[in-house]
Amino acid sequence: MMRKFTACGLLALTILAAGTAAYGQERDDLTFLREPLRPLNADIGQSSVSGLSAGAFMADQFFIANSEDIVGAALFAGGPYNCARGDLNTALGACMSAPSNLTQGVIEQLVGTAQQRAGSGQIDDLSNLADRRLYVFSGTRDTTVRQGVTDRIEDWYELAGMPADNIRYRNEVAAGHALPTDGYGNACHVPSASPWMSDCNLDGAGEALQHIYGPLNAPSPVTATSGTFIEFPQNEFFEPAGLSKPELAARFSFNEFGYAYVPASCEAGAACRAHIVFHGCKQVYDRNPNTESPNDTSNPFGLQMVLKSGFNEWANSNELIVLYPQAQRVAGTPHIPVPGNPRGCFDWWGYIGGTGSTYATKAGPQMTAARAMLERIASGPVNGPLPVVEILSAEQCGHEICLSGRATHPDSADEIASLRVRYDDLDGNLLIDEADITNRLEPDGSFAHRVAWPQDNTVYHPLVVAEDHNGRVGTGRGNAVQVGTPCQDWTASNFAHASAQRAYSRWFWWYFAVGSDDALGLRWSVTSVSEDPAGSGTFRLGSCGA
């Protein structure tokens, strides 16, 4: 029986990052699937969370609310828990630009509120923080969330009961408002600019994860075989479920899809840990980060935070599943529950209407959704070996693409339940819809498939997906196939062929086809000439298919 999660099919994604040509070059080396988030063998009690800017405030909320399961957090350019207290002006002032307003009395009040919420079960008990770990980063050149604001995170946690030794605070780097990386993004000193990642020769993701979990294996490159990126619908994690993309944005300011990186070992059923990454404002994958218009889809931000933050490389070698929930930019109107989130921030000041102060508790709609995503990947292992897909050939054959390969299962007691193929371009855009080719599968595992291409002079990149009876999935990518234009033919006099540069004359009276030198006959003879593929400049005697 086919696993129901694959009913939505597969989709390789367009991940071109704004202003970054290199992304298009790297896309071909990765494996993306579009399907609902699947149950995996994640240990929810070994989960962690991180975020940048608004994502850091969100990560802080999620950590405090779920500290029974979340073992640590990494907060890049954020502020203390519940800093905004449900007010946008406070968020923009005391929590970003005016740290002098965050007095010791205010911090004590914030911790007191958290203790009251813990007492009523709105968040987990603060005593959990005694053995949890926290990583904090603030650049000395950050003019968006001033360092004085971020300083107060440390004060908040120590007052709430976390030992000072469990906190690592990097506040000496001359960085702007950004996630620090070792090789990607802006120059480190840039105050604030897309992609809000800066090359500071500092692996922020690696430092954070090693502080939270202790010594880890060295990171390893992400490739098509190292793991799988899942693009999953986020609407199933909200109530009511199944909202359309516009409704999901209007009600909860969430985008249509979230992302997950699943290393191959975790895909195969290994016991893995989980890490959630919350992006910052304007880091919305289908919107332009360089304009204030929330509906500008030109030059979108893409998946830079998903692909270039550095977490996936550490996940590869340390059996860690990474979740990337995605917010959406929403223009404010009085007729929708979200009164305005034009920059696509996660809700850290209570912008979702009708929720009061719950946005920073377990009951907050975005908090509940993120928790449900985490519970999904911890809801059950899919143990055992995966199907193996090998593409033997992919090439143009006449006016079709011909594909052949093998799909086998390492476990002789299991077998392939379904086999599907789709064709994308090199940027991951769907060109030929997914087709079920299970009936083409031979007893020895071999298969062959032919399909007519719908678009001429295009590169087609095949992806074959095999699924076994236990819902385990294996994938195989074939080589990219460059196809030409279908054959074109003309019937006319040889003189007309020559006038159209399909033929030429020799000895002033005998005509030949350009490119092939096929003899066509006398000047006024009527012949059929074909060009296959069209645009090649080679013409032959005879019509197409003759």
Side-chain angles (χ1 to χ4, degrees):
M1 180 176 65
M2 287 185 61
R3 180 165 50 89
K4 66 177 180 180
F5 287 165
T6 58
C8 290
L10 309 169
L11 183 66
L13 309 169
T14 303
I15 61 173
L16 286 175
T20 266
Y23 261 150
Q25 297 167 3
E26 295 177 5
R27 168 65 187 86
D28 194 34
D29 297 328
L30 306 177
T31 298
F32 278 78
L33 300 178
R34 176 181 287 179
E35 62 179 19
L37 194 60
R38 67 181 72 156
L40 295 165
N41 196 16
D43 181 354
I44 198 169
Q46 285 293 308
S47 303
S48 56
V49 63
S50 65
L52 168 66
S53 189
F57 285 96
M58 181 69 175
D60 196 18
Q61 292 174 184
F62 194 82
F63 180 32
I64 296 301
N66 298 281
S67 61
E68 184 173 332
D69 293 316
I70 308 300
V71 299
L75 310 179
F76 297 89
Y81 172 77
N82 194 35
C83 183
R85 285 153 281 173
D87 180 70
L88 176 59
N89 291 327
T90 302
L92 296 173
C95 304
M96 294 180 66
S97 60
S100 61
N101 292 335
L102 289 177
T103 64
Q104 183 62 23
V106 170
I107 297 301
E108 292 174 359
Q109 178 187 11
L110 294 178
V111 173
T113 299
Q115 291 169 337
Q116 293 173 4
R117 290 177 177 177
S120 62
Q122 296 178 73
I123 62 175
D124 285 345
D125 199 306
L126 296 186
S127 63
N128 294 324
L129 300 178
D131 62 356
R132 299 303 188 239
R133 300 181 70 81
L134 178 70
Y135 178 93
V136 183
F137 179 91
S138 176
T140 62
R141 299 190 178 186
D142 190 339
T143 58
T144 302
V145 177
R146 300 283 181 175
Q147 193 167 83
V149 173
T150 306
D151 291 345
R152 306 305 273 162
I153 296 176
E154 191 172 24
D155 299 334
W156 191 100
Y157 273 92
E158 289 185 12
L159 187 60
M162 180 177 283
D165 289 345
N166 290 16
I167 303 172
R168 184 179 186 189
Y169 185 17
R170 293 296 302 268
N171 61 355
E172 79 288 358
V173 181
H177 189 67
L179 176 75
T181 73
D182 187 12
Y184 183 78
N186 300 318
C188 192
H189 66 271
V190 173
S192 179
S194 179
W196 298 282
M197 288 182 275
S198 292
D199 180 8
C200 297
N201 296 316
L202 170 62
D203 183 354
E207 275 201 359
L209 291 174
Q210 291 189 96
H211 177 70
I212 292 170
Y213 290 116
L216 297 174
N217 297 322
S220 59
V222 175
T223 68
T225 58
S226 68
T228 300
F229 288 94
I230 306 295
E231 183 190 52
F232 60 90
Q234 296 189 121
N235 60 0
E236 67 172 304
F237 298 104
F238 290 89
E239 290 293 337
L243 293 173
S244 67
K245 179 178 180 179
E247 290 174 326
L248 186 61
R251 292 193 183 199
F252 302 112
S253 202
F254 253 48
N255 216 326
E256 183 176 12
F257 297 108
Y259 297 87
Y261 179 67
V262 185
S265 58
C266 302
E267 181 80 24
C272 293
R273 296 179 283 205
H275 184 78
I276 303 176
V277 179
F278 292 106
H279 63 73
C281 301
K282 287 191 172 183
Q283 292 180 315
V284 176
Y285 65 78
D286 59 352
R287 295 293 188 268
N288 187 335
N290 298 310
T291 69
E292 292 301 321
S293 171
N295 299 316
D296 186 353
T297 59
S298 66
N299 301 313
F301 183 77
L303 298 184
Q304 294 184 77
M305 272 296 281
V306 174
L307 297 180
K308 292 297 185 179
S309 58
F311 289 100
N312 304 327
E313 288 76 10
W314 288 92
N316 255 346
S317 50
N318 292 283
E319 295 188 330
L320 183 70
I321 301 166
V322 189
L323 286 172
Y324 298 92
Q326 300 292 304
Q328 180 59 289
R329 300 174 70 168
V330 180
T333 78
H335 306 295
I336 60 176
V338 177
N341 182 28
R343 295 190 172 190
C345 311
F346 285 100
D347 189 8
W348 65 277
W349 66 88
Y351 62 67
I352 298 179
T355 59
S357 62
T358 63
Y359 69 91
T361 72
K362 290 183 176 183
Q366 293 184 359
M367 298 273 280
T368 301
R371 172 74 190 197
M373 295 174 191
L374 182 60
E375 290 178 349
R376 173 66 60 79
I377 64 171
S379 61
V382 183
N383 292 312
L386 305 180
V388 177
V389 179
E390 180 184 9
I391 307 300
L392 300 178
S393 67
E395 59 189 0
Q396 178 180 342
C397 52
H399 304 145
E400 296 178 308
I401 300 172
C402 292
L403 180 73
S404 66
R406 288 176 55 83
T408 57
H409 204 288
D411 185 351
S412 59
D414 207 336
E415 60 183 24
I416 307 300
S418 73
L419 193 68
R420 304 181 304 281
V421 61
R422 55 167 290 139
Y423 293 83
D424 312 309
D425 65 16
L426 291 181
D427 290 334
N429 298 305
L430 176 66
L431 295 179
I432 302 178
D433 288 339
E434 177 185 334
D436 188 332
I437 58 171
T438 309
N439 60 356
R440 307 288 179 87
L441 193 62
E442 300 294 336
D444 64 355
S446 63
F447 64 86
H449 179 248
R450 300 167 67 103
V451 64
W453 67 77
Q455 188 172 330
D456 305 330
N457 296 317
T458 302
V459 175
Y460 290 86
H461 199 200
L463 173 69
V464 176
V465 180
E467 182 175 359
D468 67 18
H469 288 286
N470 290 306
R472 296 177 293 233
V473 175
T475 63
R477 272 282 190 195
N479 58 279
V481 181
Q482 171 73 55
V483 301
T485 309
C487 177
Q488 187 172 2
D489 55 26
W490 302 263
T491 299
S493 68
N494 289 332
F495 178 77
H497 288 316
S499 298
Q501 299 183 337
R502 297 188 290 267
Y504 65 92
S505 64
R506 189 182 299 172
W507 309 304
F508 303 105
W509 55 276
W510 201 258
Y511 284 73
F512 300 84
V514 171
S516 68
D517 297 325
D518 287 351
L520 304 180
L522 297 172
R523 178 174 184 174
W524 299 112
S525 298
V526 175
T527 56
S528 293
V529 172
S530 59
E531 183 185 25
D532 189 6
S536 65
T538 298
F539 299 87
R540 302 184 184 281
L541 175 63
S543 58
C544 295

